[in-house]
Amino acid sequence: MTETAGETADTTADIIRVRPREDAGERETLISMLDFLRATVVLKVGGLTDEQAASRSVAASALTPAGLVKHLTGVERYWFSIDFAGHDLPEPWSAENSGAFAVEPGDTLADLVAAYRAECARSNAAVADADLDERAHADGNSFTLRYAFAHMIEETARHCGHLDLLRESIDGQTGQ
């Protein structure tokens, strides 16, 4: 879905954010906490125009909401599909755009959110049948799936905090 500058895309219409059960088993706890944070990312940027999403609302920072969504898309691909599952997929960013925080001309928030959601689904599929103690399959990696989940929970939660600050600076919206 492409939008013109100044228009907002409804990227949150089918997002349901479910608080994880407090009494679930280890795997369900890890997956549901990460899914909760993934939904938070999408909801945090919902209603922003492409211009707002690409704005540097905190003067001392180059972070943008769109750049954070783009970054998290690449991190999902690296940790779960490429490094853990060993899938042969294109690198999510170039050496010139390491970390993929930069918003490129033509990047729309709707497209970035769609890519993020698709990558999260690919991540879930890549680890669906793996045991938490299973080790990464890509050469040079030895972390377990348990560690990958813990890392991605930390990574996603940290960037949800960034999105909180950026969103409040852009249009005053606060909350979860």
Side-chain angles (χ1 to χ4, degrees), residues 35-150:
D35 283 344
F36 177 79
L37 292 167
R38 288 167 171 164
T40 301
V41 168
V42 175
L43 291 171
K44 273 290 163 197
V45 299
L48 290 176
T49 65
D50 290 335
E51 183 179 2
Q52 288 173 318
S55 69
R56 293 182 177 181
S57 60
V58 178
S61 176
L63 290 178
T64 67
L68 284 169
V69 173
K70 192 172 186 178
H71 169 74
L72 285 168
T73 302
V75 173
E76 286 278 343
R77 178 173 291 187
Y78 263 123
W79 276 88
F80 290 119
S81 294
I82 295 175
D83 289 345
F84 178 77
H87 293 166
D88 184 19
L89 294 170
E91 297 284 321
W93 47 67
S94 66
E96 298 81 37
N97 189 12
S98 180
F101 286 101
V103 179
E104 303 298 329
D107 282 346
T108 67
L109 183 58
D111 290 343
L112 293 172
V113 168
Y116 176 66
R117 293 180 69 192
E119 202 63 53
C120 290
R122 183 196 323 252
S123 294
N124 288 343
V127 302
D129 297 324
D131 184 80
L132 291 174
D133 291 321
E134 190 172 327
R135 297 228 174 245
H137 297 275
D139 290 340
N141 291 287
S142 63
F143 61 85
T144 63
L145 179 56
R146 178 181 289 102
Y147 181 84
F149 272 123

